Amino acid sequence: IEGIAAPMAGAVEFLGLTVHPVKHADEVHAYMRGVIQDRKKAILYNLNIHACRLALRHAWLYDFVRKSQLDFRDGDGVRWGMKMLGLPCPVKMATTRWIWRLAEFSAREGFRIFLLGGCPGIADEAAREIKKQSPLLEIAGVHHGYFDKEGPENTKIVEAVNRAAPDILVV
């Protein structure tokens, strides 16, 4: 599909899901930099064992994870499972820790971030906290995650994100 980045190389299968055994956050950031510089789009999914379990129960999530361009670990369950199966053991990159590195990387590169999700007010609070540690980071926008995922309200949020034109959308 034109406009969609090629998947990151080196994927392996774990429970039928595509997993990229990244060893360092810099690998993820380098992939992101290339996607943004090429003006492409990519889905990066931070996969934990609970998400694996849900993906195996829900076809829509399974398809989403399989179609994403880069899947990396957000927890030890996936790492341990991969290790037990003799697969390359990726580094743990929990979102709660990685978000700070993403903010620093984005500020350094001049990439704009939009935060979408959480209860009303949480994305705003997250943006304030992130800006404290990365004051040069440009937050393109924020919105909570409590909205209808279909229909006019969803369309309005999609239009707001598109108007903000972030380089990175964190959901």
Side-chain angles (χ1 to χ4, degrees):
I1 300 173
E2 191 172 307
I4 303 297
M8 184 176 193
V12 297
E13 294 242 343
F14 174 71
L15 302 176
L17 300 169
T18 303
V19 178
H20 293 85
V22 298
K23 298 290 185 191
H24 198 274
D26 290 343
E27 291 178 67
V28 175
H29 297 160
Y31 178 80
M32 293 174 78
R33 180 185 303 110
V35 169
I36 293 167
Q37 289 174 343
D38 290 346
R39 303 185 59 78
K40 302 269 184 179
K41 293 181 176 24
I43 295 171
L44 284 65
Y45 192 81
N46 205 342
L47 190 70
N48 63 25
I49 201 68
H50 179 64
C52 288
R53 191 174 153 270
L54 290 174
L56 295 173
R57 290 178 63 201
H58 302 287
W60 67 267
L61 183 56
Y62 181 85
D63 290 341
F64 179 81
V65 174
R66 293 278 305 170
K67 290 177 183 174
S68 61
Q69 285 72 34
L70 172 56
D71 298 299
F72 55 98
R73 285 348 77 229
D74 183 2
D76 287 320
V78 174
R79 293 180 69 235
W80 293 335
M82 291 177 73
K83 188 173 184 176
M84 284 190 283
L85 293 172
L87 297 170
C89 191
V91 70
K92 177 180 175 179
M93 288 180 43
T95 305
T96 54
R97 294 182 187 151
W98 175 61
I99 193 72
W100 307 107
R101 296 193 66 188
L102 175 63
E104 291 170 9
F105 161 75
S106 298
R108 189 173 53 252
E109 296 289 329
F111 297 149
R112 302 170 69 242
I113 293 179
F114 193 109
L115 302 173
L116 175 65
C119 298
I122 296 297
D124 298 292
E125 184 179 341
R128 283 191 298 276
E129 290 301 315
I130 290 169
K131 286 284 285 183
K132 284 180 188 176
Q133 284 201 347
S134 296
L136 298 178
L137 175 65
E138 186 176 347
I139 303 290
V142 297
H143 198 281
H144 63 79
Y146 285 73
F147 58 91
D148 289 331
K149 303 309 185 274
E150 295 180 17
E153 189 175 18
N154 183 66
T155 300
K156 180 181 168 189
I157 303 305
V158 170
E159 289 171 352
V161 171
N162 287 335
R163 271 193 312 279
D167 298 298
I168 301 167
L169 172 62
V170 178
V171 180

